[in-house]
Amino acid sequence: MIRSAASRARRALRTAADAIRSTVSPASLVRDRAAELVPDPADVFTPDEMPDVETIETTAADYLAACDEARAADRGKRKSRKLLDRLPAGIYGRFTVERTPSSQTTVDLEAVRATYARLGLGPVPMKRCAPSLRITEAAEVVAFPTADEGATEPATATVAA
């Protein structure tokens, strides 16, 4: 409950800050996002392979709907886990509650840091995770001229909400 209130407060603060920035310096919103972008992967479509816009729109809409369903499912799981995590192992009606060891492993960073420090190897080398795919639906479509077309013929571009 406290986390959700804090999360809502942070979200409200970000929204207010974005609203203020959009009136004072609208370009700063675009510049802030540009710093977060990473280059395209090597295996993107070539111009000849590009699917039509309708296919891309349908696929992006399906992706966003699936993301919403996944978030709703995660919220449902977290809500259920609050009760289930506190239950002792046993049989409860039709359901058995038990805990089994995980087959997944992860690096013990504290042990690695201690080993690096003991051997004088300096800081533990780290690398960034894979970039996340972010899809946003455009609020409206606005026509902008492209560099190739000059100012004579407008090209279609989207403005995200």
Side-chain angles (χ1 to χ4, degrees):
M1 176 104 166
I2 293 174
R3 277 190 209 157
S4 63
S7 176
R8 282 192 298 259
R10 279 193 303 274
R11 200 173 11 242
L13 185 61
R14 271 196 313 268
T15 302
D18 284 348
I20 292 169
R21 268 197 311 260
S22 70
T23 57
V24 175
S25 176
S28 69
L29 294 175
V30 177
R31 270 188 248 116
D32 290 345
R33 295 242 168 148
E36 298 174 12
L37 300 179
V38 295
D40 288 333
D43 62 344
V44 296
F45 287 117
T46 64
D48 297 335
E49 299 172 322
M50 285 294 291
D52 57 298
V53 174
E54 291 79 20
T55 303
I56 296 170
E57 286 180 333
T58 303
T59 304
D62 291 347
Y63 179 82
L64 287 177
C67 288
D68 288 342
E69 291 172 11
R71 280 190 290 274
D74 285 341
R75 283 191 298 271
K77 284 173 40 178
R78 280 193 302 270
K79 182 180 177 185
S80 297
R81 291 279 311 247
K82 285 182 182 181
L83 177 116
L84 297 172
D85 279 344
R86 297 192 60 204
L87 291 175
I91 299 172
Y92 301 90
R94 299 179 302 143
F95 298 96
T96 301
V97 174
E98 59 189 354
R99 289 163 182 83
T100 59
S102 174
S103 61
Q104 294 179 341
T105 60
T106 185
V107 175
D108 181 355
L109 281 178
E110 290 306 314
V112 172
R113 285 186 185 108
T115 302
Y116 265 64
R118 188 178 71 248
L119 298 175
L121 298 174
V124 176
M126 303 295 278
K127 69 176 189 174
R128 290 206 175 269
C129 298
S132 298
L133 179 64
R134 182 185 304 164
I135 306 294
T136 52
E137 189 170 1
E140 61 182 290
V141 176
V142 180
F144 291 104
T146 63
D148 298 339
E149 299 167 335
T152 59
E153 198 175 314
T156 303
T158 56
V159 178

